[in-house]
Each structure stands twice: as C-alpha cells, then as structure tokens.
Amino acid sequence: MEACSRNLSPTCGDMTTILSIDGGGVRGIIPATILQFLEEKLQELDGPDVRLADYFDVIAGTSTGGLVTGMLTAPNAENRPLFAAKDITHFYLEHCPSIFPAKKGFLGWLRSLYAFIRGPKYFGDYLHSLVHKMVGNIRLHQLLTNVVIPTYDIHLEQPVIFSTFEAQQNILKDAYLSDICIATSAAPTYLPAYYFKTKDSLGNTREFNLIDGGVAANNPTLLAINEVAKESLKPDQQWVCPSKAKDHSKFLVLSIGTGYKTTRYRAIDAAKWGLLSWLSKNGRTPILDTFMQSSSDMVDIHASVIFQAHNSEQNYLRIQENGLTGDASSVDISTKDNLENLVKIGNNLLDKFVSRVNLETGEFEEVMKEGTNKNALIRFAKKLSEEKKSRLSSSTPSGDMATNHVHNF
C-alpha cells in the first residue's frame, strides 16, 4: 500500500476520522468484537492487509481503551500495526486471567479483602511485564496514526493527556507507549498508581505520578475532537484545515463503550453509606462505577448535541451496551465463562438497533430507521473507504508533502 504523510492527510479529503474507545477493564472485549467486525468490512472493501490505523486520523482510548489504542497503532518490524483487530479479543481471553487473578475459596476471599483494604486489589506485575514486553521500546511519536490517551496526575492534581500531536513538539511528553498504557489503566483500588519520568537531550526531566485516565475522561471522544481543534490553531500546522476543525459536519466519529451495569441504588439506602460502602458494595465499587459511567454518558450527550445541531448525526456513531448484569458488569472478573460471555455480548450488540440520546428527554432511544449497529458499521466502513480513496486520488507524487509521520492513506 502506498504511504502518504499523516500530517497532511485530512486536508486531502472531506472528513477528519476519529475512533474512540472507553475504559472498562475486562469489558474491553466488547469494543474488541465491534472493531473486529469493522476491520473485516474494510478488508472486504480494500483488501486483506488493511488495518484500522490506515483509516483513522485519530484513535483515542482510556484505560483498557488506551491499551487497545496502543495495540492498534504500535508498529511491528514491517511498520504495520502490531495487532489486527481480530487479535485483540484473543489477547484479552489469554491474558486477563493473569492480569486479574481470581482468589479462590474463603481463605482467598479473606486475603483479597485484606489486600483491598491495605492496598490495590492487584499488584499489576503481570500487566506491567506484558506491556513492556509488547511495546517497551516504542515511543509515542512512532505510532502509525495520531493517538490521544488520557491519564490523571495525582501530584499535579490535573489530567495529563498524551497525544502524538504534543509528542512531536515536546520531547518530555514523548513517553514510551508502555508507560502510557500502564498509567492510563491504573484504576484506583484495583491497580497501583504508576510513576515514571522522561528526559530530553538537554538533561531536563519531567515526572509523572499517574492513575487511570477514566477518572478524567472515561469516554475520550471529545478529547480527540479537541486535540484536532487545538492543532488547527497552531500557526505552523500542516495537518488539518482550520475551517474543517470548526465544522463538526466534517468529522466522522466512531465511539465505542465497554457497557455499563444495570445495578441501581436507592438514595434512601445510599444515604446510610460510609466510605467503605461507597468503595465496596456487593462486590462492586459504587463510587468508581458512578464517576466513570456518568462521565462517559455526559460526553456522549455533549457529542450528540454537537452533531445533531449540525444536522450530521449520522457522522457520529456511539455503540454501547446498556444492560450488563452480574459478572459481565465487573471490570475485573476474568473467569473463562465471564470472558466468553463478554465476547457474546459484543457480538449480540452488533445486532441491536442504533441508539442515540433524545435531546428533549435525555433518554437513550433506539433509532430503528437506521437499522442495527452492524448496518451502521457497514455504512461507516464505506465512508472510511471512500475517504481513504479520495485522499489517495488527491495525493501528488511530487513528494511535497509534510514528512513528520507516515500514515497509510
């Protein structure tokens, strides 16, 4: 496949294309199944070797979504994506039981409870070792398309957004992908906070004290849009046309959630809860569930308003499972049965009708006239393919394009 400059590619076509993946622990299997279907449709259109990173100008991911983002965009020895979308589900099935090991029996439960009170539920050693082994020598600027991955710095008390846009201009933000993936996945109470530092050629250093990006932006869709808009404001930018960055009808956005639980609490009961109850109730962590779920939904509502206001609601596709129960709603139950059930949930989600927030009622409703999520993804794949072909046809062989990064358009 011919390669042209990533930095100039959005100006070659009509749309800025964005993929966004929520956080959610083991529930990352759900977006993995959605992405596998989309990549298969793109391969039917453009050949078996194409990958998602060939089509999206920006891929954003939080927590487990940040890990998926890294897997989709990290280069292998041939400078192609390290993972195909179909590989990601197998990755979760193979490694989640070791990332989130189950404590067996009553004694195991007591040890787990003691560890939960004294420190994080899991040590994180396996995850850290695995991620370092996979992408340990790859820095942010080397990724195959632009990425946006949020974290939260508990020392600075502010979000830290890692993006290839910044990495190109600030070497202290050009961190190793492995450090970024571990940091964005460091969910409080589940995995330990993560420290690392970067260094530039002059000896300047920057320290990072990070936890899960989900506490800031569990749904990173708007972060991705904002990064494109910020890039358009730079006087020397060569990547995106400013007029397109301001016109949301020129965005094509796929946002995939990891599902949310249907466990409901009553205020009359929660009014009696103290710190321990908010941290652990019936095997759940209500305070984290509430923050992350509400954060994701608020971003979806905001994005829906933007796109509907521009009469371009079909350019924004949000796919989310809204009925998880039992073990499937957990972020860390990694039994074989639960992981395989999550695969089924992802596949079943493809056959559900497209849903969108009703701006008058605030409720999420099925939009049956748009068909199923599978139908919508097939349409989305066609748009992505057309955009890619449009850019290829408008590319010039004269070599006068920007040269910072290669993107496979």
Side-chain angles (χ1 to χ4, degrees):
M1 183 181 299
E2 290 294 325
C4 78
S5 165
R6 179 180 75 190
N7 287 345
L8 195 62
S9 57
T11 66
C12 300
D14 295 327
M15 311 292 290
T16 299
T17 55
I18 294 174
L19 169 63
S20 174
I21 310 162
D22 285 16
V26 298
R27 302 201 310 260
I29 291 179
I30 295 174
T33 60
I34 304 300
L35 294 173
Q36 178 177 342
F37 179 82
L38 175 61
E39 190 168 86
E40 288 171 352
K41 293 301 147 185
L42 289 167
Q43 290 169 345
E44 290 176 9
L45 293 168
D46 296 332
D49 295 329
V50 300
R51 297 289 183 264
L52 293 173
D54 300 330
Y55 293 86
F56 287 99
D57 298 313
V58 183
I59 300 181
T62 299
S63 194
T64 197
L67 181 59
V68 173
T69 295
M71 294 166 73
L72 293 173
T73 60
N76 62 16
E78 287 75 40
N79 207 38
R80 296 294 293 145
L82 195 61
F83 286 80
K86 66 180 180 181
D87 300 327
I88 296 176
T89 298
H90 298 297
F91 174 89
Y92 275 83
L93 292 173
E94 178 182 356
H95 294 290
C96 279
S98 297
I99 296 172
F100 302 110
K103 303 294 191 296
K104 298 180 180 180
F106 180 71
L107 183 58
W109 178 83
L110 284 178
R111 289 174 177 169
S112 178
L113 179 62
Y114 179 74
F116 183 74
I117 295 173
R118 294 272 304 188
K121 190 174 182 180
Y122 306 100
F123 294 116
D125 293 352
Y126 184 89
L127 175 64
H128 295 192
S129 175
L130 178 64
V131 174
H132 280 300
K133 183 178 179 180
M134 284 195 313
V135 297
N137 296 320
I138 299 172
R139 287 190 180 274
L140 195 53
H141 81 271
Q142 296 174 295
L143 302 184
L144 295 173
T145 192
N146 298 297
V147 304
V148 177
I149 300 177
T151 63
Y152 187 86
D153 194 308
I154 55 175
H155 181 69
L156 299 178
E157 295 186 312
Q158 65 183 35
V160 174
I161 313 302
F162 290 95
S163 76
T164 47
F165 301 108
E166 269 197 275
Q168 296 174 46
Q169 300 169 19
N170 181 358
I171 194 170
L172 293 177
K173 290 292 289 290
D174 189 24
Y176 285 111
L177 179 61
S178 55
D179 288 330
I180 298 169
C181 288
I182 292 170
T184 192
S185 304
T189 75
Y190 288 96
L191 289 164
Y194 189 67
Y195 169 87
F196 67 92
K197 62 182 180 179
T198 55
K199 184 177 181 180
D200 66 17
S201 58
L202 299 176
N204 298 311
T205 61
R206 176 167 176 178
E207 295 185 341
F208 296 93
N209 299 270
L210 304 176
I211 61 171
D212 193 321
V215 303
N218 201 52
N219 175 350
T221 301
L222 290 182
L223 284 182
I225 294 175
N226 288 346
E227 286 296 310
V228 173
K230 280 170 55 181
E231 192 70 8
S232 74
L233 298 175
K234 296 175 182 176
D236 59 344
Q237 69 81 28
Q238 297 174 303
W239 184 76
V240 61
C241 173
S243 62
K244 290 181 181 177
K246 297 175 184 176
D247 183 357
H248 287 84
S249 67
K250 298 298 183 182
F251 284 82
L252 186 63
V253 179
L254 172 61
S255 175
I256 310 178
T258 57
Y260 60 84
K261 64 181 180 63
T262 55
T263 302
R264 292 177 171 84
Y265 307 107
R266 294 172 57 87
I268 195 170
D269 298 320
K272 305 170 187 175
W273 293 355
L275 177 62
L276 289 179
S277 293
W278 276 105
L279 287 175
S280 181
K281 194 73 174 177
N282 299 323
R284 304 306 305 272
T285 309
I287 189 68
L288 283 180
D289 292 342
T290 301
F291 278 141
M292 293 187 179
Q293 188 168 307
S294 60
S295 167
S296 293
D297 284 346
M298 284 299 295
V299 169
D300 183 28
I301 292 170
H302 190 174
S304 294
V305 170
I306 291 173
F307 281 87
Q308 291 185 46
H310 286 81
N311 296 315
S312 57
E313 54 264 36
Q314 290 195 10
N315 285 358
Y316 170 67
L317 176 60
R318 171 72 170 171
I319 298 181
Q320 173 72 302
E321 170 57 55
N322 58 9
L324 296 181
T325 59
D327 288 355
S329 64
S330 168
V331 299
D332 68 328
I333 293 180
S334 55
T335 62
K336 180 180 179 181
D337 287 346
N338 188 48
L339 295 177
E340 291 179 349
N341 185 44
L342 288 170
V343 175
K344 292 179 183 177
I345 289 171
N347 287 322
N348 291 338
L349 183 55
L350 289 168
D351 293 318
K352 292 189 175 183
F353 285 106
V354 172
S355 295
R356 188 173 296 125
V357 65
N358 183 317
L359 300 184
E360 294 183 1
T361 66
E363 298 290 330
F364 293 91
E365 300 174 351
E366 292 181 341
V367 187
M368 288 184 283
K369 66 179 181 179
E370 294 187 19
T372 64
N373 289 317
K374 187 179 292 184
N375 299 142
L377 285 169
I378 291 171
R379 292 193 296 269
F380 209 92
K382 289 178 180 178
K383 288 183 179 180
L384 289 170
S385 178
E386 290 168 0
E387 176 67 16
K388 176 171 173 285
K389 290 171 183 174
S390 172
R391 298 184 190 189
L392 283 172
S393 65
S394 65
S395 297
T396 63
S398 60
D400 59 351
M401 296 183 188
T403 58
N404 285 352
H405 289 280
V406 172
H407 185 50
N408 294 295
F409 275 111

